[in-house]
Amino acid sequence: MAGNITYTMIKPDAVAAGNTGAIIKMIEEAGFRIVAMKMTKMSAETAGKFYAVHKERPFYADLCAYMSSGHIVPMILEKDNAVEDFRKLIGATNPANAEPGTIRKLFAKSIEANAIHGSDSDENANIEANFFFGAVDRF
Ligand code: UDP
Ligand code: MG
Protein backbone atom coordinates (compact mmCIF):
# COMPACT_ATOMS: atom_id res chain seq x y z
CA MET A 1 0.00 0.00 0.00
CA ALA A 2 3.04 2.32 0.32
CA GLY A 3 2.59 5.34 -1.90
CA ASN A 4 -1.15 4.87 -2.22
CA ILE A 5 -2.48 6.38 0.98
CA THR A 6 -2.27 9.71 2.70
CA TYR A 7 -3.67 11.03 5.96
CA THR A 8 -5.68 14.24 6.18
CA MET A 9 -7.83 16.06 8.68
CA ILE A 10 -10.20 18.92 8.12
CA LYS A 11 -9.19 21.41 10.81
CA PRO A 12 -11.39 23.19 13.38
CA ASP A 13 -11.71 26.46 11.43
CA ALA A 14 -13.11 24.70 8.35
CA VAL A 15 -15.44 22.40 10.32
CA ALA A 16 -16.78 25.35 12.36
CA ALA A 17 -17.32 27.39 9.19
CA GLY A 18 -19.48 24.62 7.70
CA ASN A 19 -17.00 23.78 4.93
CA THR A 20 -16.66 20.06 5.69
CA GLY A 21 -18.96 18.97 2.86
CA ALA A 22 -17.42 21.29 0.25
CA ILE A 23 -13.91 20.10 1.13
CA ILE A 24 -14.88 16.41 1.01
CA LYS A 25 -16.47 17.03 -2.42
CA MET A 26 -13.21 18.54 -3.71
CA ILE A 27 -11.23 15.59 -2.33
CA GLU A 28 -13.50 13.03 -4.03
CA GLU A 29 -13.64 14.96 -7.31
CA ALA A 30 -9.82 15.00 -7.35
CA GLY A 31 -9.88 11.18 -7.44
CA PHE A 32 -9.18 10.29 -3.81
CA ARG A 33 -11.15 7.45 -2.25
CA ILE A 34 -12.03 7.90 1.43
CA VAL A 35 -11.17 4.64 3.20
CA ALA A 36 -11.57 5.84 6.82
CA MET A 37 -13.26 8.92 8.26
CA LYS A 38 -14.63 10.25 11.55
CA MET A 39 -15.76 13.44 13.29
CA THR A 40 -13.84 13.88 16.53
CA LYS A 41 -12.13 16.39 18.80
CA MET A 42 -8.54 16.26 20.12
CA SER A 43 -7.46 17.22 23.62
CA ALA A 44 -4.52 19.64 23.75
CA GLU A 45 -2.41 16.70 24.91
CA THR A 46 -3.38 14.60 21.88
CA ALA A 47 -2.71 17.52 19.55
CA GLY A 48 0.68 17.90 21.21
CA LYS A 49 1.49 14.27 20.46
CA PHE A 50 0.30 14.51 16.87
CA TYR A 51 2.47 17.59 16.23
CA ALA A 52 5.41 16.46 18.42
CA VAL A 53 7.74 16.92 15.43
CA HIS A 54 7.09 20.68 15.74
CA LYS A 55 7.59 20.94 19.52
CA GLU A 56 10.62 23.24 19.28
CA ARG A 57 8.88 25.62 16.85
CA PRO A 58 7.56 28.99 18.11
CA PHE A 59 4.04 28.22 16.86
CA TYR A 60 3.72 24.84 18.65
CA ALA A 61 1.72 25.95 21.75
CA ASP A 62 -0.72 28.02 19.70
CA LEU A 63 -1.07 25.22 17.16
CA CYS A 64 -1.95 22.66 19.87
CA ALA A 65 -4.51 25.05 21.41
CA TYR A 66 -6.05 25.76 18.02
CA MET A 67 -6.15 22.10 16.90
CA SER A 68 -7.97 21.14 20.10
CA SER A 69 -10.40 24.08 19.94
CA GLY A 70 -13.12 22.34 17.94
CA HIS A 71 -14.13 19.33 15.90
CA ILE A 72 -11.89 17.85 13.22
CA VAL A 73 -12.54 15.28 10.47
CA PRO A 74 -9.61 12.84 10.17
CA MET A 75 -9.52 10.69 7.02
CA ILE A 76 -7.36 8.13 5.27
CA LEU A 77 -7.34 8.67 1.50
CA GLU A 78 -6.32 6.26 -1.21
CA LYS A 79 -5.01 7.17 -4.67
CA ASP A 80 -1.93 6.53 -6.78
CA ASN A 81 0.79 8.96 -5.66
CA ALA A 82 -1.51 10.01 -2.80
CA VAL A 83 0.90 12.06 -0.65
CA GLU A 84 2.24 14.28 -3.42
CA ASP A 85 -1.06 14.68 -5.26
CA PHE A 86 -2.84 15.61 -2.04
CA ARG A 87 -0.25 18.24 -1.09
CA LYS A 88 -0.91 19.80 -4.52
CA LEU A 89 -4.66 19.77 -3.91
CA ILE A 90 -4.37 21.52 -0.53
CA GLY A 91 -1.76 24.14 -1.51
CA ALA A 92 0.91 25.94 0.51
CA THR A 93 0.87 26.10 4.34
CA ASN A 94 0.30 29.85 4.22
CA PRO A 95 -2.90 30.47 2.24
CA ALA A 96 -1.42 33.75 1.02
CA ASN A 97 1.06 31.62 -0.97
CA ALA A 98 -1.37 28.87 -2.00
CA GLU A 99 -2.22 28.38 -5.68
CA PRO A 100 -5.68 29.46 -6.87
CA GLY A 101 -8.20 26.62 -6.68
CA THR A 102 -6.44 24.80 -3.84
CA ILE A 103 -8.33 23.90 -0.68
CA ARG A 104 -6.26 26.24 1.48
CA LYS A 105 -6.64 29.14 -0.96
CA LEU A 106 -10.40 28.64 -0.96
CA PHE A 107 -11.01 27.90 2.73
CA ALA A 108 -8.05 28.74 5.00
CA LYS A 109 -8.34 31.69 7.37
CA SER A 110 -4.62 32.10 8.25
CA ILE A 111 -1.27 30.28 8.24
CA GLU A 112 -2.37 28.55 11.45
CA ALA A 113 -6.09 28.06 10.78
CA ASN A 114 -5.38 26.69 7.32
CA ALA A 115 -8.41 24.41 6.86
CA ILE A 116 -6.72 21.06 6.29
CA HIS A 117 -3.73 18.80 7.00
CA GLY A 118 -1.89 16.63 4.50
CA SER A 119 0.92 14.14 5.28
CA ASP A 120 4.34 15.09 3.91
CA SER A 121 5.72 11.58 3.19
CA ASP A 122 4.59 7.96 2.83
CA GLU A 123 6.23 7.17 6.17
CA ASN A 124 4.35 9.96 7.97
CA ALA A 125 1.10 9.06 6.19
CA ASN A 126 1.30 5.63 7.78
CA ILE A 127 2.25 6.99 11.21
CA GLU A 128 -0.52 9.62 11.15
CA ALA A 129 -3.20 7.24 9.83
CA ASN A 130 -2.25 4.77 12.53
CA PHE A 131 -2.46 7.55 15.17
CA PHE A 132 -6.17 8.06 14.47
CA PHE A 133 -7.38 4.76 13.05
CA GLY A 134 -5.04 1.95 14.11
CA ALA A 135 -3.06 -0.26 11.75
CA VAL A 136 -3.53 1.01 8.19
CA ASP A 137 -3.32 -2.43 6.59
CA ARG A 138 -6.92 -2.92 7.70
CA PHE A 139 -7.94 -0.39 5.06
N1 UDP B 1 1.75 26.50 11.39
C1 UDP B 1 1.64 27.73 12.04
N2 UDP B 1 2.59 28.69 11.81
C2 UDP B 1 3.66 28.49 10.99
C3 UDP B 1 3.77 27.24 10.34
C4 UDP B 1 2.81 26.28 10.56
O1 UDP B 1 0.71 27.95 12.80
O2 UDP B 1 4.49 29.39 10.82
C5 UDP B 1 0.74 25.47 11.62
C6 UDP B 1 -0.21 25.28 10.44
O3 UDP B 1 -1.51 24.95 10.95
C7 UDP B 1 0.44 24.10 9.73
C8 UDP B 1 0.92 23.26 10.91
O4 UDP B 1 1.38 24.23 11.85
O5 UDP B 1 -0.47 23.43 8.89
C9 UDP B 1 2.03 22.28 10.61
O6 UDP B 1 3.11 22.99 10.00
P1 UDP B 1 3.84 22.38 8.72
O7 UDP B 1 5.08 23.19 8.49
O8 UDP B 1 4.00 20.90 8.87
O9 UDP B 1 2.81 22.73 7.53
P2 UDP B 1 1.91 21.78 6.62
O10 UDP B 1 2.65 20.48 6.41
O11 UDP B 1 0.59 21.58 7.37
O12 UDP B 1 1.69 22.54 5.33
MG1 MG C 1 3.48 19.21 7.79
Side-chain angles (χ1 to χ4, degrees), residues 36-49:
M37 176 166 71
K38 60 187 168 188
M39 173 74 73
T40 188
K41 202 170 168 185
M42 287 194 280
S43 65
E45 189 192 1
T46 301
K49 283 186 193 146

Side-chain angles (χ1 to χ4, degrees), residues 20-34:
T20 303
I23 290 172
I24 289 173
K25 185 166 160 55
M26 282 185 71
I27 291 170
E28 290 189 321
E29 285 179 352
F32 294 87
R33 197 168 73 86
I34 299 167

